[in-house]
mmCIF file of all heavy atoms in Angstrom:
data_model
loop_
_atom_site.group_PDB
_atom_site.id
_atom_site.type_symbol
_atom_site.label_atom_id
_atom_site.label_comp_id
_atom_site.label_asym_id
_atom_site.label_seq_id
_atom_site.Cartn_x
_atom_site.Cartn_y
_atom_site.Cartn_z
ATOM 1 N N TRP F 1623 3.905 2.328 18.831
ATOM 2 C CA TRP F 1623 2.920 3.206 18.220
ATOM 3 C C TRP F 1623 2.281 4.026 19.333
ATOM 4 O O TRP F 1623 1.711 3.467 20.256
ATOM 5 C CB TRP F 1623 1.894 2.396 17.455
ATOM 6 C CG TRP F 1623 2.511 1.742 16.278
ATOM 7 C CD1 TRP F 1623 2.988 0.476 16.207
ATOM 8 C CD2 TRP F 1623 2.771 2.330 15.012
ATOM 9 N NE1 TRP F 1623 3.512 0.235 14.972
ATOM 10 C CE2 TRP F 1623 3.400 1.352 14.218
ATOM 11 C CE3 TRP F 1623 2.549 3.592 14.463
ATOM 12 C CZ2 TRP F 1623 3.786 1.600 12.907
ATOM 13 C CZ3 TRP F 1623 2.942 3.822 13.164
ATOM 14 C CH2 TRP F 1623 3.549 2.849 12.390
ATOM 15 N N LYS F 1634 0.372 -1.164 14.937
ATOM 16 C CA LYS F 1634 -0.232 0.005 14.331
ATOM 17 C C LYS F 1634 -1.748 -0.111 14.290
ATOM 18 O O LYS F 1634 -2.467 0.858 14.555
ATOM 19 C CB LYS F 1634 0.319 0.126 12.914
ATOM 20 C CG LYS F 1634 -0.043 1.372 12.181
ATOM 21 C CD LYS F 1634 0.595 1.286 10.801
ATOM 22 C CE LYS F 1634 0.140 2.379 9.882
ATOM 23 N NZ LYS F 1634 0.621 2.140 8.517
ATOM 24 N N ASP F 1635 -2.245 -1.290 13.977
ATOM 25 C CA ASP F 1635 -3.700 -1.416 13.871
ATOM 26 C C ASP F 1635 -4.375 -1.231 15.219
ATOM 27 O O ASP F 1635 -5.491 -0.722 15.299
ATOM 28 C CB ASP F 1635 -4.091 -2.748 13.224
ATOM 29 C CG ASP F 1635 -3.482 -3.933 13.943
ATOM 30 O OD1 ASP F 1635 -2.442 -3.736 14.590
ATOM 31 O OD2 ASP F 1635 -4.035 -5.039 13.867
ATOM 32 N N PHE F 1638 -4.592 2.461 15.676
ATOM 33 C CA PHE F 1638 -5.639 3.057 14.847
ATOM 34 C C PHE F 1638 -7.026 2.702 15.371
ATOM 35 O O PHE F 1638 -7.950 3.507 15.281
ATOM 36 C CB PHE F 1638 -5.456 2.653 13.382
ATOM 37 C CG PHE F 1638 -4.503 3.558 12.658
ATOM 38 C CD1 PHE F 1638 -3.167 3.583 13.016
ATOM 39 C CD2 PHE F 1638 -4.937 4.404 11.661
ATOM 40 C CE1 PHE F 1638 -2.278 4.428 12.378
ATOM 41 C CE2 PHE F 1638 -4.057 5.261 11.023
ATOM 42 C CZ PHE F 1638 -2.731 5.262 11.376
ATOM 43 N N ILE F 1641 -7.578 5.140 18.123
ATOM 44 C CA ILE F 1641 -7.873 6.484 17.641
ATOM 45 C C ILE F 1641 -9.288 6.571 17.093
ATOM 46 O O ILE F 1641 -9.994 7.561 17.268
ATOM 47 C CB ILE F 1641 -6.840 6.882 16.573
ATOM 48 C CG1 ILE F 1641 -5.512 7.191 17.259
ATOM 49 C CG2 ILE F 1641 -7.292 8.085 15.772
ATOM 50 C CD1 ILE F 1641 -4.352 7.216 16.329
ATOM 51 N N ALA F 1642 -9.699 5.499 16.432
ATOM 52 C CA ALA F 1642 -11.049 5.494 15.884
ATOM 53 C C ALA F 1642 -12.082 5.556 17.004
ATOM 54 O O ALA F 1642 -13.154 6.121 16.854
ATOM 55 C CB ALA F 1642 -11.258 4.241 15.042
ATOM 56 N N PHE F 1644 -11.647 6.901 20.227
ATOM 57 C CA PHE F 1644 -11.657 8.055 21.119
ATOM 58 C C PHE F 1644 -11.606 9.364 20.337
ATOM 59 O O PHE F 1644 -10.730 9.565 19.506
ATOM 60 C CB PHE F 1644 -10.481 7.986 22.086
ATOM 61 C CG PHE F 1644 -10.581 6.839 23.046
ATOM 62 C CD1 PHE F 1644 -9.928 5.645 22.793
ATOM 63 C CD2 PHE F 1644 -11.368 6.930 24.174
ATOM 64 C CE1 PHE F 1644 -10.032 4.585 23.657
ATOM 65 C CE2 PHE F 1644 -11.484 5.870 25.051
ATOM 66 C CZ PHE F 1644 -10.816 4.691 24.796
ATOM 67 N N GLY F 1646 -10.816 12.884 19.210
ATOM 68 C CA GLY F 1646 -9.735 13.842 19.379
ATOM 69 C C GLY F 1646 -8.358 13.246 19.553
ATOM 70 O O GLY F 1646 -7.373 13.971 19.503
ATOM 71 N N HIS F 1647 -8.263 11.964 19.739
ATOM 72 C CA HIS F 1647 -6.932 11.364 19.852
ATOM 73 C C HIS F 1647 -6.306 11.243 18.461
ATOM 74 O O HIS F 1647 -6.988 10.913 17.504
ATOM 75 C CB HIS F 1647 -7.032 9.974 20.474
ATOM 76 C CG HIS F 1647 -7.380 10.018 21.932
ATOM 77 N ND1 HIS F 1647 -7.046 9.033 22.800
ATOM 78 C CD2 HIS F 1647 -8.029 10.948 22.665
ATOM 79 C CE1 HIS F 1647 -7.480 9.351 24.011
ATOM 80 N NE2 HIS F 1647 -8.088 10.504 23.939
ATOM 81 N N THR F 1648 -5.012 11.518 18.413
ATOM 82 C CA THR F 1648 -4.319 11.384 17.132
ATOM 83 C C THR F 1648 -3.025 10.624 17.352
ATOM 84 O O THR F 1648 -2.504 10.589 18.466
ATOM 85 C CB THR F 1648 -3.968 12.755 16.532
ATOM 86 O OG1 THR F 1648 -3.076 13.420 17.418
ATOM 87 C CG2 THR F 1648 -5.180 13.604 16.299
ATOM 88 N N PRO F 1649 -2.509 10.039 16.304
ATOM 89 C CA PRO F 1649 -1.213 9.376 16.470
ATOM 90 C C PRO F 1649 -0.121 10.417 16.633
ATOM 91 O O PRO F 1649 -0.188 11.483 16.027
ATOM 92 C CB PRO F 1649 -1.042 8.596 15.166
ATOM 93 C CG PRO F 1649 -1.996 9.165 14.209
ATOM 94 C CD PRO F 1649 -3.023 9.941 14.952
ATOM 95 N N ILE F 1651 3.634 11.791 16.130
ATOM 96 C CA ILE F 1651 4.676 11.620 15.116
ATOM 97 C C ILE F 1651 6.027 11.675 15.805
ATOM 98 O O ILE F 1651 6.265 12.553 16.633
ATOM 99 C CB ILE F 1651 4.564 12.710 14.047
ATOM 100 C CG1 ILE F 1651 3.225 12.593 13.339
ATOM 101 C CG2 ILE F 1651 5.705 12.606 13.053
ATOM 102 C CD1 ILE F 1651 2.901 13.750 12.446
ATOM 103 N N PRO F 1652 6.908 10.744 15.480
ATOM 104 C CA PRO F 1652 8.240 10.763 16.097
ATOM 105 C C PRO F 1652 8.914 12.116 15.914
ATOM 106 O O PRO F 1652 8.718 12.772 14.900
ATOM 107 C CB PRO F 1652 8.994 9.682 15.330
ATOM 108 C CG PRO F 1652 7.952 8.807 14.774
ATOM 109 C CD PRO F 1652 6.750 9.649 14.549
ATOM 110 N N GLU F 1655 11.838 13.873 12.888
ATOM 111 C CA GLU F 1655 11.423 14.597 11.697
ATOM 112 C C GLU F 1655 11.297 16.071 11.998
ATOM 113 O O GLU F 1655 11.652 16.916 11.214
ATOM 114 C CB GLU F 1655 10.074 14.081 11.234
ATOM 115 C CG GLU F 1655 10.174 12.996 10.192
ATOM 116 C CD GLU F 1655 8.794 12.597 9.738
ATOM 117 O OE1 GLU F 1655 8.111 13.426 9.137
ATOM 118 O OE2 GLU F 1655 8.403 11.455 10.019
ATOM 119 N N ALA F 1656 10.765 16.356 13.152
ATOM 120 C CA ALA F 1656 10.552 17.743 13.515
ATOM 121 C C ALA F 1656 11.872 18.460 13.703
ATOM 122 O O ALA F 1656 12.036 19.607 13.317
ATOM 123 C CB ALA F 1656 9.741 17.822 14.795
ATOM 124 N N ALA F 1660 14.295 21.418 6.967
ATOM 125 C CA ALA F 1660 13.699 21.065 5.693
ATOM 126 C C ALA F 1660 14.778 20.600 4.737
ATOM 127 O O ALA F 1660 15.891 21.091 4.762
ATOM 128 C CB ALA F 1660 12.984 22.275 5.117
ATOM 129 N N GLY F 1661 14.402 19.679 3.894
ATOM 130 C CA GLY F 1661 15.315 19.318 2.831
ATOM 131 C C GLY F 1661 16.052 18.025 3.063
ATOM 132 O O GLY F 1661 15.592 17.156 3.760
ATOM 133 N N PRO F 1662 17.202 17.939 2.464
ATOM 134 C CA PRO F 1662 17.863 16.652 2.315
ATOM 135 C C PRO F 1662 18.425 16.191 3.633
ATOM 136 O O PRO F 1662 18.504 15.023 3.917
ATOM 137 C CB PRO F 1662 19.001 16.967 1.373
ATOM 138 C CG PRO F 1662 19.336 18.390 1.692
ATOM 139 C CD PRO F 1662 18.071 19.039 2.144
ATOM 140 N N ASP F 1664 17.228 16.043 6.116
ATOM 141 C CA ASP F 1664 16.251 15.121 6.689
ATOM 142 C C ASP F 1664 16.852 13.752 6.871
ATOM 143 O O ASP F 1664 16.834 13.181 7.934
ATOM 144 C CB ASP F 1664 15.084 14.979 5.705
ATOM 145 C CG ASP F 1664 13.839 15.604 6.280
ATOM 146 O OD1 ASP F 1664 13.930 16.164 7.384
ATOM 147 O OD2 ASP F 1664 12.819 15.515 5.638
ATOM 148 N N ARG X 720 7.689 23.967 4.412
ATOM 149 C CA ARG X 720 7.714 22.801 5.310
ATOM 150 C C ARG X 720 6.620 22.935 6.358
ATOM 151 O O ARG X 720 5.865 23.887 6.362
ATOM 152 C CB ARG X 720 9.075 22.665 5.975
ATOM 153 C CG ARG X 720 10.130 22.161 5.039
ATOM 154 C CD ARG X 720 9.961 20.672 4.843
ATOM 155 N NE ARG X 720 10.335 20.288 3.490
ATOM 156 C CZ ARG X 720 10.484 19.041 3.080
ATOM 157 N NH1 ARG X 720 10.271 18.060 3.908
ATOM 158 N NH2 ARG X 720 10.812 18.760 1.865
ATOM 159 N N PHE X 721 6.663 22.016 7.282
ATOM 160 C CA PHE X 721 5.534 21.954 8.212
ATOM 161 C C PHE X 721 5.382 23.194 9.075
ATOM 162 O O PHE X 721 4.275 23.600 9.375
ATOM 163 C CB PHE X 721 5.635 20.701 9.083
ATOM 164 C CG PHE X 721 6.823 20.675 9.988
ATOM 165 C CD1 PHE X 721 6.753 21.210 11.248
ATOM 166 C CD2 PHE X 721 8.020 20.127 9.549
ATOM 167 C CE1 PHE X 721 7.843 21.183 12.081
ATOM 168 C CE2 PHE X 721 9.112 20.097 10.378
ATOM 169 C CZ PHE X 721 9.029 20.635 11.652
ATOM 170 N N ASP X 747 4.040 13.278 7.114
ATOM 171 C CA ASP X 747 3.147 13.319 8.266
ATOM 172 C C ASP X 747 3.209 14.638 9.026
ATOM 173 O O ASP X 747 2.211 15.136 9.519
ATOM 174 C CB ASP X 747 3.487 12.168 9.206
ATOM 175 C CG ASP X 747 3.191 10.829 8.564
ATOM 176 O OD1 ASP X 747 2.447 10.824 7.563
ATOM 177 O OD2 ASP X 747 3.696 9.812 9.039
ATOM 178 N N ARG X 748 4.425 15.212 9.107
ATOM 179 C CA ARG X 748 4.565 16.486 9.823
ATOM 180 C C ARG X 748 3.710 17.555 9.152
ATOM 181 O O ARG X 748 3.036 18.339 9.808
ATOM 182 C CB ARG X 748 6.023 16.942 9.792
ATOM 183 C CG ARG X 748 6.926 16.116 10.645
ATOM 184 C CD ARG X 748 7.184 16.820 11.951
ATOM 185 N NE ARG X 748 6.990 15.883 13.029
ATOM 186 C CZ ARG X 748 6.625 16.238 14.251
ATOM 187 N NH1 ARG X 748 6.394 17.499 14.541
ATOM 188 N NH2 ARG X 748 6.483 15.345 15.180
ATOM 189 N N ALA X 751 0.173 16.954 9.777
ATOM 190 C CA ALA X 751 -0.187 17.378 11.129
ATOM 191 C C ALA X 751 -0.378 18.891 11.164
ATOM 192 O O ALA X 751 -1.297 19.401 11.811
ATOM 193 C CB ALA X 751 0.901 16.952 12.104
ATOM 194 N N ASP X 772 -0.122 6.614 7.026
ATOM 195 C CA ASP X 772 -1.388 6.509 7.751
ATOM 196 C C ASP X 772 -1.427 7.447 8.950
ATOM 197 O O ASP X 772 -2.477 7.963 9.317
ATOM 198 C CB ASP X 772 -1.583 5.068 8.236
ATOM 199 C CG ASP X 772 -1.853 4.133 7.078
ATOM 200 O OD1 ASP X 772 -2.243 4.623 6.013
ATOM 201 O OD2 ASP X 772 -1.657 2.922 7.250
ATOM 202 N N VAL X 773 -0.254 7.659 9.547
ATOM 203 C CA VAL X 773 -0.199 8.515 10.729
ATOM 204 C C VAL X 773 -0.613 9.944 10.362
ATOM 205 O O VAL X 773 -1.442 10.552 11.036
ATOM 206 C CB VAL X 773 1.217 8.480 11.336
ATOM 207 C CG1 VAL X 773 1.356 9.516 12.425
ATOM 208 C CG2 VAL X 773 1.523 7.092 11.872
ATOM 209 N N ALA X 776 -4.206 10.098 9.550
ATOM 210 C CA ALA X 776 -4.995 10.057 10.782
ATOM 211 C C ALA X 776 -5.057 11.443 11.407
ATOM 212 O O ALA X 776 -6.101 11.859 11.908
ATOM 213 C CB ALA X 776 -4.388 9.056 11.760
ATOM 214 N N LYS X 777 -3.932 12.163 11.368
ATOM 215 C CA LYS X 777 -3.910 13.532 11.896
ATOM 216 C C LYS X 777 -4.982 14.376 11.204
ATOM 217 O O LYS X 777 -5.737 15.114 11.840
ATOM 218 C CB LYS X 777 -2.536 14.159 11.637
ATOM 219 C CG LYS X 777 -1.458 13.647 12.548
ATOM 220 C CD LYS X 777 -1.409 14.512 13.785
ATOM 221 C CE LYS X 777 -0.297 14.054 14.706
ATOM 222 N NZ LYS X 777 -0.502 14.528 16.069
ATOM 223 N N VAL X 780 -8.592 13.248 11.986
ATOM 224 C CA VAL X 780 -9.063 13.636 13.313
ATOM 225 C C VAL X 780 -9.202 15.151 13.416
ATOM 226 O O VAL X 780 -10.139 15.658 14.026
ATOM 227 C CB VAL X 780 -8.095 13.090 14.388
ATOM 228 C CG1 VAL X 780 -8.466 13.626 15.755
ATOM 229 C CG2 VAL X 780 -8.096 11.579 14.387
ATOM 230 N N THR X 797 -2.228 2.994 3.749
ATOM 231 C CA THR X 797 -2.737 1.617 3.697
ATOM 232 C C THR X 797 -4.203 1.591 4.125
ATOM 233 O O THR X 797 -4.799 2.631 4.419
ATOM 234 C CB THR X 797 -1.945 0.690 4.636
ATOM 235 O OG1 THR X 797 -2.268 1.046 5.984
ATOM 236 C CG2 THR X 797 -0.458 0.822 4.425
ATOM 237 N N LEU X 799 -5.472 0.749 6.821
ATOM 238 C CA LEU X 799 -5.697 1.281 8.171
ATOM 239 C C LEU X 799 -6.036 2.762 8.126
ATOM 240 O O LEU X 799 -6.976 3.224 8.774
ATOM 241 C CB LEU X 799 -4.437 1.090 9.014
ATOM 242 C CG LEU X 799 -4.247 -0.246 9.700
ATOM 243 C CD1 LEU X 799 -2.941 -0.249 10.456
ATOM 244 C CD2 LEU X 799 -5.392 -0.513 10.646
ATOM 245 N N GLY X 800 -5.243 3.502 7.356
ATOM 246 C CA GLY X 800 -5.458 4.944 7.259
ATOM 247 C C GLY X 800 -6.786 5.264 6.614
ATOM 248 O O GLY X 800 -7.543 6.111 7.087
ATOM 249 N N LEU X 803 -9.637 4.593 9.028
ATOM 250 C CA LEU X 803 -9.799 5.638 10.038
ATOM 251 C C LEU X 803 -10.429 6.880 9.412
ATOM 252 O O LEU X 803 -11.334 7.492 9.985
ATOM 253 C CB LEU X 803 -8.447 5.983 10.663
ATOM 254 C CG LEU X 803 -8.544 6.926 11.839
ATOM 255 C CD1 LEU X 803 -9.109 6.212 13.045
ATOM 256 C CD2 LEU X 803 -7.207 7.534 12.170
ATOM 257 N N LYS X 806 -14.003 6.543 9.063
ATOM 258 C CA LYS X 806 -14.721 6.570 10.340
ATOM 259 C C LYS X 806 -14.854 7.983 10.867
ATOM 260 O O LYS X 806 -15.823 8.334 11.521
ATOM 261 C CB LYS X 806 -13.975 5.713 11.357
ATOM 262 C CG LYS X 806 -14.254 4.229 11.199
ATOM 263 C CD LYS X 806 -13.484 3.433 12.220
ATOM 264 C CE LYS X 806 -13.742 1.948 12.051
ATOM 265 N NZ LYS X 806 -12.584 1.163 12.462
ATOM 266 N N LYS X 807 -13.824 8.801 10.603
ATOM 267 C CA LYS X 807 -13.825 10.149 11.189
ATOM 268 C C LYS X 807 -14.493 11.166 10.276
ATOM 269 O O LYS X 807 -15.285 11.977 10.735
ATOM 270 C CB LYS X 807 -12.371 10.576 11.461
ATOM 271 C CG LYS X 807 -11.662 9.752 12.525
ATOM 272 C CD LYS X 807 -12.158 10.089 13.922
ATOM 273 C CE LYS X 807 -11.422 9.274 14.975
ATOM 274 N NZ LYS X 807 -11.938 9.515 16.317
ATOM 275 N N GLU X 1241 23.899 19.487 -2.246
ATOM 276 C CA GLU X 1241 23.212 19.523 -0.951
ATOM 277 C C GLU X 1241 22.240 20.685 -0.873
ATOM 278 O O GLU X 1241 21.117 20.548 -0.394
ATOM 279 C CB GLU X 1241 24.237 19.650 0.174
ATOM 280 C CG GLU X 1241 24.690 18.302 0.703
ATOM 281 C CD GLU X 1241 25.872 18.436 1.633
ATOM 282 O OE1 GLU X 1241 26.002 19.490 2.296
ATOM 283 O OE2 GLU X 1241 26.692 17.496 1.671
ATOM 284 N N HIS X 1244 19.233 19.984 -2.882
ATOM 285 C CA HIS X 1244 18.405 19.006 -2.168
ATOM 286 C C HIS X 1244 17.658 19.670 -1.014
ATOM 287 O O HIS X 1244 16.462 19.446 -0.794
ATOM 288 C CB HIS X 1244 19.303 17.881 -1.660
ATOM 289 C CG HIS X 1244 18.560 16.610 -1.444
ATOM 290 N ND1 HIS X 1244 19.153 15.385 -1.492
ATOM 291 C CD2 HIS X 1244 17.254 16.372 -1.190
ATOM 292 C CE1 HIS X 1244 18.245 14.464 -1.288
ATOM 293 N NE2 HIS X 1244 17.089 15.034 -1.099
ATOM 294 N N ALA X 1245 18.371 20.494 -0.314
ATOM 295 C CA ALA X 1245 17.772 21.173 0.840
ATOM 296 C C ALA X 1245 16.613 22.062 0.427
ATOM 297 O O ALA X 1245 15.660 22.259 1.179
ATOM 298 C CB ALA X 1245 18.828 22.000 1.557
#
Side-chain angles (χ1 to χ4, degrees):
Chain F
W1623 293 96
K1634 188 180 171 188
D1635 54 335
F1638 274 66
I1641 286 164
F1644 294 96
H1647 289 206
T1648 62
I1651 298 170
E1655 266 183 65
D1664 248 3
Chain X
R720 286 283 146 169
F721 64 89
D747 294 343
R748 289 260 132 207
D772 290 341
V773 171
K777 285 270 182 200
V780 173
T797 70
L799 275 179
L803 187 73
K806 280 180 181 150
K807 294 286 181 184
E1241 269 170 29
H1244 204 154

